[in-house]
Amino acid sequence: MNQPYYEPKDLEDFPNITEYAQPKGNAFFSYYNKATSAGKLTEREKSLIALAVATVRHCPYCIDAYTNKCLSLGLDNDEMMEAVHVAAAMAAGDTLAHATQMRKIIKKKEM
Amino acid sequence: MNQPYYEPKDLEDFPNITEYAQPKGNAFFSYYNKATSAGKLTEREKSLIALAVATVRHCPYCIDAYTNKCLSLGLDNDEMMEAVHVAAAMAAGDTLAHATQMRKIIKKKEM
Amino acid sequence: MNQPYYEPKDLEDFPNITEYAQPKGNAFFSYYNKATSAGKLTEREKSLIALAVATVRHCPYCIDAYTNKCLSLGLDNDEMMEAVHVAAAMAAGDTLAHATQMRKIIKKKEM
Amino acid sequence: MNQPYYEPKDLEDFPNITEYAQPKGNAFFSYYNKATSAGKLTEREKSLIALAVATVRHCPYCIDAYTNKCLSLGLDNDEMMEAVHVAAAMAAGDTLAHATQMRKIIKKKEM
Amino acid sequence: MNQPYYEPKDLEDFPNITEYAQPKGNAFFSYYNKATSAGKLTEREKSLIALAVATVRHCPYCIDAYTNKCLSLGLDNDEMMEAVHVAAAMAAGDTLAHATQMRKIIKKKEM
Amino acid sequence: MNQPYYEPKDLEDFPNITEYAQPKGNAFFSYYNKATSAGKLTEREKSLIALAVATVRHCPYCIDAYTNKCLSLGLDNDEMMEAVHVAAAMAAGDTLAHATQMRKIIKKKEM
């Protein structure tokens, strides 16, 4: 009974979260579907964004879902990995951007 | 002297973070520039990904930088906002995807 | 030997983290117990808050602990799922609230 | 023109995010309103959850909105601060819960 | 009255958070002080860790507090910036480590 | 085929992420290696920082890698656990530091 917490079958259960608190679940999926399906941006563009966000937020379920979605849209391995590198570079970059606040304090002390 | 912590002029200071620990700073910018400039994905695609990641990670400096970058690439307001909605829907979705773990426990107890 | 990283038995080990750096571990549990047990807010209210925070922060151990805690307090499935929806809606909402910074820049350029 | 990034007037602009990508914005608010208004949980319970999530996710806009919401519902300062302490104790706790993974590795090596 | 949300004077108010929900606040500071003061690790080591965590979690108050703490301990600018680079490289690295989950799916499909 | 998402063998695959989008992968590892190897700070100091960041960001791969790295450098269990407590106390502390924004609003209303 030492079943791991994170399993692919949880992802299969995702559509069923509407079982409890149904009106909220339905409203979520209505938003989610509108937000992630083609609009002014293409499905390809949105799937790359979703893959990047899934990875930077460490969500295995979403990485699974959007890896498969990207593959089904014909995106190749380099393109998908480039999207992940944007997310990774941003995560490092936003950390370093906050180092400018450290620098402001250092500079003020040095004056 | 009650200067706010988050100011646009911090962003102007961002290229100067190489002043301290220079070899690391240079290596970061080398990675960051490769990761965010056009490759297999276009600059447009990468800037939309970066804007989405900036917003979901609450980095004002990066929101500023990539709003301006997207505008300079001719992206329109609806396209930019759609990228942000993908990020927002993913943040809600990854939270709800983790609710499947709660459901597994409930289902096991109900058996 | 390809044991998964996230396992329910890790949660059973949680009380044992005081084995190393004991004074810090004891001080943590003293804080944690005060913060999460009934006070001005009821145990029910605190357990719902804890479940919501556990989910939005993607902590399987805490989702497990507080799903069981909520069930033991007699909370029903809809109530627990509603708490998770608050967390999910906040995660989307705080992302979109940061889009107002993007809008400020767009509006300034449009003037 | 060194306007700070985070300003209360951004929060006043929040309802206007529907100006761009309107169908997505409307779907978001429909979800958000359902998720955060009274249902099986009371408005009081949901506002405390929202305040806790706002604080643990460092969103000044949401801290502002839900501090005011809680006050308008008659919640007192101790109750609000207790909600924040649950969030803070969970953030420390989920970090320490992950230390059980470190312990598993140490224990395996010690055998 | 458009006072920015993030101000250095908030940090001065930090010790006063015990005013509400006092027993929880006292227990927090008891834990916090034990965790961050010299023990098996030196104050220098702990302050560098705290500065790195403050930056990767985007907390201006903590960046302020630990920049000043590090300076008061005689740490130099390069040392402090190196600590921040560890945090930044880890944030990029943990994102890319999750890309191995994407790779597992791609490899399975390619078989 | 219900393979868990998080497995130690993913970590073994981490060096292979350069297979796709190779120039970006190489640039990342160049940065990562410079940032995490000895410089003005020692390997010991950087490994403790990395372990703390790994834990607060909930990255099992990084917890594995840096637990092993710390052990190989001769760090003992108490020292490693103290680093994790700094991260945990900071995560609680940055949440509570944001409660000062709640306090500002309360104080303004009380006047």
Side-chain angles (χ1 to χ4, degrees):
Chain A
M1 277 285 285
N2 201 35
Q3 194 180 8
Y5 283 121
Y6 282 102
E7 302 175 293
K9 71 174 181 182
D10 306 337
L11 182 57
E12 291 165 37
D13 182 50
F14 184 48
N16 305 326
I17 60 161
T18 52
E19 187 187 0
Y20 311 143
Q22 187 158 12
K24 282 84 182 169
N26 288 344
F28 163 72
F29 278 117
S30 168
Y31 172 51
Y32 180 76
N33 291 335
K34 274 203 184 60
T36 59
S37 60
K40 294 284 175 80
L41 299 183
T42 63
E43 208 173 7
R44 171 197 157 95
E45 287 165 330
K46 292 199 171 180
S47 298
L48 285 166
I49 294 169
L51 180 65
V53 171
T55 315
V56 86
R57 281 181 57 82
H58 302 177
C59 178
Y61 306 122
C62 320
I63 295 171
D64 186 348
Y66 283 93
T67 298
N68 281 297
K69 182 74 177 293
C70 286
L71 290 172
S72 77
L73 292 171
L75 281 152
D76 75 23
N77 303 339
D78 286 330
E79 291 169 321
M80 290 162 68
M81 195 65 200
E82 286 206 2
V84 177
H85 274 298
V86 174
M90 291 300 293
D94 62 35
T95 302
L96 292 168
H98 280 77
T100 60
Q101 297 185 7
M102 176 183 87
R103 286 172 51 80
K104 266 198 296 200
I105 295 166
I106 291 173
K107 297 293 182 192
K108 202 176 290 175
K109 294 243 160 160
E110 281 174 350
M111 285 194 314
Chain B
M1 277 285 285
N2 201 36
Q3 195 179 7
Y5 283 122
Y6 282 103
E7 301 176 293
K9 72 174 181 182
D10 305 336
L11 181 57
E12 290 165 39
D13 182 49
F14 184 47
N16 305 327
I17 61 161
T18 52
E19 186 187 1
Y20 312 144
Q22 186 158 12
K24 282 84 182 167
N26 288 344
F28 163 73
F29 278 117
S30 167
Y31 171 52
Y32 180 76
N33 291 335
K34 275 203 183 60
T36 58
S37 60
K40 294 284 174 80
L41 299 183
T42 62
E43 208 173 7
R44 171 198 158 95
E45 287 166 330
K46 292 199 170 180
S47 298
L48 285 166
I49 294 170
L51 179 65
V53 171
T55 315
V56 85
R57 282 181 57 81
H58 302 177
C59 178
Y61 306 123
C62 320
I63 294 171
D64 185 348
Y66 283 94
T67 297
N68 280 298
K69 182 73 176 294
C70 286
L71 290 172
S72 77
L73 292 170
L75 281 151
D76 74 24
N77 302 341
D78 287 328
E79 291 169 322
M80 291 162 68
M81 195 64 200
E82 285 206 2
V84 177
H85 274 298
V86 174
M90 291 301 292
D94 63 33
T95 301
L96 292 168
H98 280 76
T100 62
Q101 297 185 6
M102 176 183 86
R103 286 172 51 79
K104 266 198 295 202
I105 294 167
I106 291 173
K107 298 293 182 192
K108 201 177 290 176
K109 294 240 160 161
E110 281 174 350
M111 284 193 313
Chain C
M1 276 285 285
N2 200 36
Q3 195 180 7
Y5 282 121
Y6 282 103
E7 301 176 293
K9 71 174 181 181
D10 305 336
L11 181 57
E12 291 166 36
D13 182 50
F14 184 48
N16 306 326
I17 60 161
T18 52
E19 186 187 1
Y20 312 143
Q22 187 159 11
K24 282 84 182 169
N26 288 343
F28 163 73
F29 278 117
S30 167
Y31 172 52
Y32 181 77
N33 291 335
K34 273 202 184 60
T36 58
S37 60
K40 294 283 175 80
L41 299 183
T42 64
E43 208 174 7
R44 171 197 157 94
E45 287 165 329
K46 292 199 171 182
S47 298
L48 285 167
I49 294 169
L51 179 65
V53 171
T55 315
V56 85
R57 282 182 56 81
H58 302 178
C59 178
Y61 306 121
C62 320
I63 294 171
D64 185 347
Y66 283 94
T67 297
N68 280 297
K69 182 74 177 294
C70 286
L71 290 172
S72 77
L73 292 170
L75 281 152
D76 74 23
N77 303 340
D78 286 329
E79 291 169 321
M80 291 161 68
M81 196 65 201
E82 285 206 2
V84 177
H85 274 298
V86 174
M90 291 301 292
D94 62 34
T95 301
L96 292 169
H98 280 76
T100 61
Q101 297 185 7
M102 177 183 84
R103 287 172 51 80
K104 266 198 295 200
I105 295 167
I106 291 173
K107 297 293 183 194
K108 201 177 291 177
K109 293 243 160 160
E110 281 174 351
M111 285 193 314
Chain D
M1 276 286 285
N2 200 35
Q3 195 180 6
Y5 283 122
Y6 281 103
E7 300 176 293
K9 72 173 181 181
D10 305 335
L11 182 57
E12 291 165 36
D13 182 50
F14 184 47
N16 305 327
I17 61 161
T18 52
E19 186 188 0
Y20 311 143
Q22 187 159 11
K24 282 84 184 168
N26 288 343
F28 163 73
F29 278 117
S30 167
Y31 172 52
Y32 181 77
N33 291 336
K34 275 202 182 61
T36 58
S37 60
K40 294 285 174 78
L41 299 183
T42 62
E43 208 173 8
R44 171 197 157 96
E45 287 166 330
K46 291 199 171 182
S47 298
L48 285 166
I49 295 170
L51 179 66
V53 171
T55 315
V56 86
R57 283 181 56 82
H58 302 177
C59 178
Y61 306 122
C62 319
I63 295 171
D64 185 348
Y66 283 94
T67 297
N68 281 296
K69 182 76 176 294
C70 286
L71 290 172
S72 77
L73 292 170
L75 281 152
D76 74 23
N77 302 340
D78 287 328
E79 290 169 322
M80 290 162 68
M81 196 64 200
E82 285 206 3
V84 176
H85 274 298
V86 175
M90 291 301 292
D94 62 33
T95 301
L96 291 169
H98 280 77
T100 61
Q101 297 185 6
M102 177 183 86
R103 286 173 50 80
K104 267 198 295 200
I105 295 167
I106 291 174
K107 297 294 182 192
K108 201 176 293 177
K109 294 241 161 163
E110 281 175 351
M111 284 194 313
Chain E
M1 275 287 285
N2 200 35
Q3 195 179 7
Y5 283 121
Y6 282 103
E7 300 176 294
K9 72 173 181 182
D10 305 335
L11 182 57
E12 290 165 38
D13 182 50
F14 184 48
N16 305 327
I17 60 161
T18 52
E19 186 188 0
Y20 312 143
Q22 187 159 12
K24 282 83 183 169
N26 288 344
F28 163 72
F29 278 117
S30 167
Y31 171 51
Y32 181 76
N33 291 335
K34 275 202 183 59
T36 58
S37 60
K40 294 285 174 79
L41 299 183
T42 63
E43 207 173 9
R44 171 197 156 95
E45 287 165 329
K46 292 199 171 183
S47 298
L48 284 166
I49 294 169
L51 179 65
V53 171
T55 315
V56 85
R57 282 181 56 81
H58 301 177
C59 178
Y61 306 122
C62 320
I63 294 171
D64 185 347
Y66 284 94
T67 297
N68 281 297
K69 182 74 176 293
C70 285
L71 290 172
S72 77
L73 292 169
L75 281 152
D76 75 24
N77 302 341
D78 286 329
E79 291 169 322
M80 290 163 69
M81 195 65 200
E82 285 206 3
V84 177
H85 274 298
V86 175
M90 291 300 292
D94 62 34
T95 302
L96 292 168
H98 280 76
T100 61
Q101 297 185 6
M102 177 183 85
R103 286 173 51 79
K104 266 198 294 200
I105 295 166
I106 292 174
K107 297 295 183 192
K108 201 176 292 176
K109 294 241 160 163
E110 281 175 350
M111 284 193 314
Chain F
M1 277 287 283
N2 200 35
Q3 196 180 6
Y5 282 121
Y6 282 102
E7 301 176 292
K9 71 174 181 181
D10 305 336
L11 182 57
E12 291 165 38
D13 182 50
F14 184 49
N16 305 326
I17 60 161
T18 52
E19 186 187 0
Y20 312 142
Q22 187 158 13
K24 282 85 183 168
N26 288 344
F28 163 73
F29 278 117
S30 167
Y31 171 52
Y32 180 76
N33 291 335
K34 274 203 183 60
T36 59
S37 60
K40 294 284 174 80
L41 299 183
T42 63
E43 208 172 7
R44 171 197 158 95
E45 287 165 329
K46 292 199 171 182
S47 298
L48 285 166
I49 295 169
L51 180 65
V53 171
T55 315
V56 86
R57 280 181 58 81
H58 302 177
C59 179
Y61 306 122
C62 320
I63 294 171
D64 186 347
Y66 283 94
T67 298
N68 281 297
K69 182 75 178 293
C70 286
L71 290 171
S72 77
L73 291 170
L75 281 152
D76 74 24
N77 302 339
D78 286 329
E79 291 169 321
M80 290 161 68
M81 195 64 200
E82 285 206 3
V84 177
H85 274 298
V86 175
M90 291 301 291
D94 62 34
T95 301
L96 291 168
H98 280 76
T100 60
Q101 297 185 6
M102 176 183 85
R103 287 173 50 80
K104 265 197 296 200
I105 295 166
I106 291 173
K107 297 294 183 193
K108 201 176 292 176
K109 294 241 162 162
E110 282 175 350
M111 283 193 315

